[in-house]
Amino acid sequence: MSDSFDLVVIGGGPGGYAAALYGAGAGLDVAVVEKHKLGGTCLHVGCIPAKELLETAAVCRTVASAGEFGINSSAPTVDMNKAQARKQKVVEQLHRGVGKLLENRKVTLVDGWGSVRSSSGTDLTDLTVAVAGGASGEMQLNARYVIVATGSVPRTLAGFEVDGERIMSSDELLSIDKVPERVAIIGGGAIGLEFASMLCDLGSQVTVVEALPQILPGVDADVSKALVRAFKKRKIQVRAGVSVDGCSQTKDGVELQVAGGESLLVDAVVVCVGRRPFTEGLDLEPVGVQVDQGGYVVVNDFCQTTNERIYAVGDVVRTPQLAHVAFGEAIMVIKHLLGEPVAPVDYDRVPWAIYCHPEVAYVGYSEAAATDAGFDVTVSTHRYMGNGRAMILGETDGLVKVIAERSADGSGGQILGVHMMGPWVTEQLGQGHLAVNWEATAAEVAEFVQPHPTLSEMFGEAVLSLTGRDLH
């Protein structure tokens, strides 16, 4: 194996393997250093296993309501061992696929922990990645460029020591073999709400506790409120604007202390308060890379660190912790280090997808954020209760809200944001994502003919209303 590479990537998650694939495709000689499995958090303890178990929950929910469609069936029961086996089969298939892609593009894989060094000791752009602690043994990889993509780990709360049974993070919950009867989810962000929805469908009694006044703080307030109402119908309790003071374990379960002296007895607590960057052991400061007090690597608009030869992508930088954002950053970095024309990632316009039931998806400004930014705003909201396809599916709970800049002639100004809740909205956001990022006007988008009957025509209807004339 060569010990000199154009690019050494530390970390084989979405940002790392995307950078390696794109860089190798551009002709670079690339090595990836990874101690655990390729695919990172997203593939093994994040996006993919979570959505697999959410699909298991959706099948359970569908069977339970089959009688509404004239299909007679007994009440479904859940075999978590089979569900976990199916989840793992999907994960392993994708894991092998990533490895094969890297192999086909001649990317060198190195098993171990990577840390950055200066080969000369004085020239901080003369880089070496030291590898240790893995199957590849100790070695030094000379690198023209280095990309740090070591990802993140779950944040914890003081007083909530994770034991994997009664108190869990997202990592442990994704491997449960038994569904707890009563669950408290601490955190009303995307991860917490997906788990709340999944556990409810699998038979748990669920309470979500969120310290902020609104669940999903980035989404439009109307969508957040609609989701709370939808959860209430499913008997998921949402306690927003409430903090937790600690917990104690008893023979009957875990007693959660909520601010104000209230207590809540559950069988399990799932801590979903975000993730922190994993930068331990990288030795970045000696090679001129600045790390902030939160542990995030400091970068410029092109994810270049304070050492011009070192970049950082994904969860280790202060950008949205989304796999597709890491993909975008990886592509941008490769183009930047090759000297090709490239624009920075516009983080205000990246799409968000939350796979709870009903689903939530959004891009761009909420109504409040657009107003705060100084726009003269007009909005259009259409609800799925009037959509034929939603009625056929039996899922009419939800809405599509389009936020646009008001035009002088009333024909529909620039579309600033699209926020949705309802059936399969994570698959419907594409039109809104393109409209926002291409800075299209409502008048321009309204010209497109939407297919009928579809869920996606809701976006077209909402945009058409912004031109001053409705259809339905």
Side-chain angles (χ1 to χ4, degrees):
M1 182 182 72
S2 170
D3 62 357
S4 295
F5 297 89
D6 297 319
L7 172 64
V8 174
V9 182
I10 305 177
Y17 76 69
L21 289 171
Y22 199 77
L28 298 177
D29 188 11
V30 183
V32 172
V33 180
E34 172 59 64
K35 178 62 179 73
H36 300 300
K37 290 184 175 181
L38 288 171
T41 293
C42 176
L43 179 52
H44 297 284
V45 286
C47 315
I48 299 302
K51 277 54 176 182
E52 167 62 31
L53 293 182
L54 277 161
E55 191 62 25
T56 296
V59 171
C60 185
R61 182 177 67 246
T62 299
V63 173
S65 61
E68 298 176 13
F69 294 83
I71 308 298
N72 298 319
S73 64
S74 58
T77 59
V78 180
D79 184 334
M80 282 306 298
N81 288 321
K82 284 188 176 180
Q84 289 289 359
R86 187 181 194 276
K87 177 205 79 175
Q88 201 57 36
K89 181 179 178 181
V90 171
V91 168
E92 289 303 324
Q93 186 174 349
L94 290 169
H95 172 238
R96 289 192 299 271
V98 172
K100 195 65 177 177
L101 283 170
L102 291 168
E103 180 185 340
N104 289 343
R105 297 197 194 176
K106 312 300 182 186
V107 173
T108 299
L109 300 180
V110 181
D111 184 282
W113 298 103
S115 56
V116 191
R117 302 280 190 272
S118 171
S119 301
S120 66
T122 55
D123 183 0
L124 299 185
T125 63
D126 187 11
L127 300 175
T128 294
V129 174
V131 181
S136 297
E138 294 190 6
M139 61 178 66
Q140 304 282 330
L141 305 177
N142 296 318
R144 194 165 161 227
Y145 293 97
V146 171
I147 296 178
V148 176
T150 46
S152 62
V153 293
R155 291 188 185 278
T156 56
L157 285 175
F160 291 84
E161 304 304 322
V162 173
D163 59 21
E165 294 182 4
R166 285 187 165 188
I167 301 178
M168 294 178 275
S169 71
S170 56
D171 288 2
E172 292 76 29
L173 182 64
L174 288 171
S175 295
I176 58 172
D177 57 11
K178 181 181 178 181
V179 179
E181 184 177 342
R182 302 163 299 176
V183 181
I185 308 284
I186 302 178
I191 298 172
L193 297 185
E194 287 183 354
F195 287 155
S197 183
M198 177 191 80
L199 289 167
C200 173
D201 283 331
L202 295 178
S204 296
Q205 177 185 327
V206 181
T207 301
V208 177
V209 182
E210 169 56 56
L212 295 175
Q214 174 183 310
I215 60 170
L216 296 179
V219 80
D220 190 88
D222 287 343
V223 171
S224 178
K225 291 173 185 175
L227 185 60
V228 170
R229 291 193 296 269
F231 271 22
K232 186 176 181 180
K233 291 178 184 177
R234 299 173 61 200
K235 296 183 170 49
I236 300 173
Q237 294 188 49
V238 177
R239 306 285 303 278
V242 175
S243 59
V244 293
D245 293 334
C247 69
S248 57
Q249 299 204 30
T250 72
K251 63 181 180 62
D252 297 319
V254 182
E255 190 170 358
L256 187 68
Q257 281 81 51
V258 181
E262 184 183 353
S263 64
L264 177 67
L265 184 63
V266 295
D267 298 299
V269 175
V270 185
V271 181
C272 300
V273 291
R275 301 180 64 85
R276 65 171 180 82
F278 182 72
T279 52
E280 288 89 337
L282 288 172
D283 291 340
L284 295 174
E285 288 89 345
V287 290
V289 174
Q290 184 180 350
V291 178
D292 69 18
Q293 290 185 340
Y296 292 95
V297 180
V298 177
V299 295
N300 63 15
D301 289 344
F302 297 97
C303 287
Q304 188 176 35
T305 72
T306 42
N307 182 324
E308 64 180 13
R309 295 284 183 179
I310 302 175
Y311 293 77
V313 300
D315 289 0
V316 294
V317 298
R318 283 191 183 273
T319 58
Q321 292 183 325
L322 301 167
H324 48 276
V325 166
F327 292 154
E329 290 173 341
I331 293 170
M332 175 187 68
V333 163
I334 296 300
K335 288 184 175 181
H336 189 261
L337 65 83
L338 288 172
E340 298 176 355
V342 62
V345 175
D346 188 342
Y347 298 107
D348 292 331
R349 294 179 179 177
V350 299
W352 291 75
I354 298 93
Y355 296 81
C356 53
H357 177 72
E359 291 186 347
V360 174
Y362 65 97
V363 62
Y365 285 107
S366 65
E367 181 179 2
T371 300
D372 290 345
F375 291 101
D376 182 11
V377 169
T378 181
V379 303
S380 172
T381 303
H382 279 237
R383 300 187 180 275
Y384 282 97
M385 66 180 65
N387 177 268
R389 179 70 170 167
M391 291 180 184
I392 292 166
L393 294 173
E395 297 187 25
T396 57
D397 219 348
L399 59 92
V400 174
K401 182 172 181 178
V402 180
I403 300 98
E405 189 172 16
R406 193 182 305 276
S407 63
D409 61 3
S411 64
Q414 181 180 329
I415 296 175
L416 303 172
V418 178
H419 291 241
M420 316 168 77
M421 184 202 89
W424 290 99
V425 295
T426 58
E427 299 291 343
Q428 296 179 59
L429 188 62
Q431 290 188 85
H433 178 239
L434 290 175
V436 168
N437 280 273
W438 275 338
E439 301 180 349
T441 66
E444 291 168 339
V445 176
E447 294 289 332
F448 293 105
V449 176
Q450 300 287 333
H452 174 80
T454 63
L455 299 168
S456 61
E457 66 185 304
M458 288 282 293
F459 171 73
E461 293 274 3
V463 171
L464 184 61
S465 294
L466 291 171
T467 68
R469 296 179 182 175
D470 281 312
L471 186 59
H472 294 96

